[in-house]
Amino acid sequence: MNSEKFQKVIDGKLVQLYHIFSQNISCFITNYGARVVSLTTRDKDSRMVDVVLGFDNIDGYLEANEQYHGATVGRYANRIANGSFSIGNEQYILDQNNGVNSLHGGVKAFHNQVWECLQHEDDSILLELISPDMQEGFPGKLKTHVRFTIVDSTLQIQYEAISTKDTVINLTHHSYFNLNGEGSGTTLQHYLKINSEYYTPVNETTIPTGALNMVADTPFDFTKTKSIGEHINNDHEQLTIGFGYDHNFVLNQHVEGELNYAAEAIGDKSKIKMEVWTTEPGVQFYSANHLDGSDAGKSGHSYTSRSAFCLETQHFPDSPNQNHFPSALLSENQIFRSFTEYRFSTV
């Protein structure tokens, strides 16, 4: 990729493009939104295939209808009901940028800020963002680090953060994956397995109701491998609300701080397999229902509905307002840590 096409000053800071790689994976990352621009890995014929949607210049990201391509999302990934939450007796008001709710940290969130590159080596890059106290309504000056590392055929993403006040935090990675190659069409024939027996159903504004519903005997049962599209058009209330899949899955055998198998997907044509492992208790499976074809990516092809999927490791949506969900509270001066791996192979 041409790094000069990413050089631009935004908010007084220089945007650049960085390259990390191994023999099996090549990954380009920009410090605008700490986002993955390109991720190429070998298919069944040993050809290198770019498996994430994105653009080959910074203006593509600035002008895109979809804001979150490849981005590091925070301070709070996913939704917070009615744009508000409380810590103790103190209520905090956030931007309502998704109907009445707050989505992915608000308007001026992690995905559209310029991060500082602290370290860059052939196989690793460390980025930092300092978010001021009360930015987008969140308490505490928050210092966040994200490190991307390539080890053989694995992309590792490690998050650390510390706040000057009690706050809430939920960080995730938001690549849109197509394992047959970006711009190659629908992913409905991709195969998917999710290590989850429960999911969190949502109301009409896509906020969790608080229930944990079993996936068994529903379109949400991915405990055994099946195609993404097998049941996506079923007459099911939850699929109607989300226009397809856009739901948090509760991961089995989650032990806080330990890396746990979350999901795997396989490209039906490329036979590229991607396993997701994480320390997080949940994963949001999103079938890219709202991509509308208005964005044309690196290949020049339009990104249409369901031409990708996301597997966003996370704490549950609206956890700050639902006490029985795993807590997203980060206490003052406590260090937040989260770790996710995307492991690539072929079948």
Side-chain angles (χ1 to χ4, degrees):
M1 301 194 74
N2 187 346
S3 61
E4 292 183 0
K5 292 184 178 181
F6 282 83
Q7 293 177 356
K8 189 166 191 169
V9 175
I10 299 175
D11 297 332
K13 300 176 182 178
L14 179 62
V15 173
Q16 298 195 77
L17 185 69
Y18 302 88
H19 187 207
I20 60 175
F21 58 92
S22 70
Q23 186 176 0
N24 298 316
I25 293 180
S26 173
C27 183
F28 285 92
I29 292 169
T30 176
N31 59 325
Y32 177 70
R35 65 180 75 218
V36 171
V37 171
S38 172
L39 177 61
T40 57
T41 186
R42 298 184 186 277
D43 70 2
K44 61 182 176 59
D45 299 317
S46 294
R47 293 175 297 194
M48 297 298 284
V49 177
D50 188 350
V51 298
V52 300
L53 278 56
F55 308 95
D56 62 4
N57 61 85
I58 187 60
D59 288 336
Y61 290 96
L62 296 174
E63 298 167 4
N65 184 57
E66 166 54 43
Q67 304 177 48
Y68 303 107
H69 281 295
T72 297
V73 175
R75 286 187 187 193
Y76 200 94
N78 220 306
R79 295 170 176 86
I80 295 179
N82 300 312
S84 70
F85 67 94
S86 296
I87 299 177
N89 295 322
E90 188 75 25
Q91 185 182 31
Y92 297 95
I93 305 300
L94 313 174
D95 280 327
Q96 293 176 318
N97 64 323
N98 183 241
V100 298
N101 303 317
S102 173
L103 174 66
H104 289 333
V107 176
K108 191 64 175 176
F110 285 12
H111 65 283
N112 59 10
Q113 296 194 51
V114 181
W115 296 55
E116 180 181 358
C117 179
L118 299 183
Q119 183 182 15
H120 178 218
E121 300 174 353
D122 285 349
D123 61 354
S124 180
I125 184 171
L126 177 64
L127 301 170
E128 178 185 78
L129 181 67
I130 298 176
S131 177
D133 181 29
M134 300 308 297
Q135 186 170 50
E136 299 299 307
F138 291 94
K141 178 182 178 181
L142 186 76
K143 179 189 289 187
T144 302
H145 287 166
V146 59
R147 181 185 292 275
F148 297 90
T149 304
I150 290 178
V151 179
D152 296 325
S153 297
T154 297
L155 175 64
Q156 301 176 340
I157 307 177
Q158 183 175 3
Y159 309 91
E160 287 192 357
I162 189 168
S163 174
T164 59
K165 295 180 181 178
D166 290 353
T167 192
V168 296
I169 189 170
N170 190 23
L171 304 181
T172 196
H173 178 69
H174 208 295
S175 273
Y176 282 85
F177 293 100
N178 185 322
L179 300 181
N180 290 333
E182 64 84 27
S184 65
T186 179
T187 57
L188 293 179
Q189 298 307 313
H190 278 48
Y191 300 101
L192 179 66
K193 182 178 181 180
I194 303 177
N195 184 25
S196 172
E197 295 177 0
Y198 295 88
Y199 75 102
T200 52
V202 296
N203 64 21
E204 64 279 0
T205 71
T206 61
I207 291 294
T209 63
L212 302 180
N213 283 8
M214 294 189 69
V215 302
D217 300 318
T218 77
F220 293 83
D221 190 353
F222 288 92
T223 55
K224 295 182 180 179
T225 304
K226 68 179 183 183
S227 70
I228 289 174
E230 183 170 343
H231 297 120
I232 198 169
N233 293 317
N234 281 24
D235 183 16
H236 189 284
E237 180 188 22
Q238 288 295 304
L239 293 174
T240 300
I241 290 172
F243 300 95
Y245 297 105
D246 189 8
H247 293 77
N248 171 65
F249 287 74
V250 180
L251 295 178
N252 296 335
Q253 295 131 359
H254 173 257
V255 177
E256 187 172 355
E258 291 188 9
L259 202 61
N260 186 47
Y261 168 71
E264 64 183 58
I266 299 172
D268 57 300
K269 297 177 182 177
S270 69
K271 303 303 181 185
I272 293 173
K273 177 180 178 181
M274 182 181 76
E275 293 184 14
V276 184
W277 292 70
T278 187
T279 58
E280 290 295 304
V283 61
Q284 185 86 3
F285 168 45
Y286 175 45
S287 50
N289 315 301
H290 297 293
L291 294 184
D292 62 6
S294 60
D295 295 335
K298 292 166 283 189
S299 62
H301 295 122
S302 294
Y303 293 154
T304 56
S305 178
R306 300 175 178 173
S307 63
F309 65 92
C310 302
L311 289 168
E312 306 159 58
T313 59
Q314 61 176 9
H315 272 58
F316 302 173
D318 201 37
S319 288
N321 294 313
Q322 308 212 29
N323 292 332
H324 60 295
F325 284 179
S327 176
L329 179 68
L330 178 64
S331 299
E332 175 185 350
N333 293 325
Q334 175 186 352
I335 298 177
F336 167 88
R337 291 184 175 92
S338 179
F339 192 72
T340 292
E341 290 187 347
Y342 295 93
R343 302 177 182 179
F344 293 91
S345 60
T346 55
V347 296

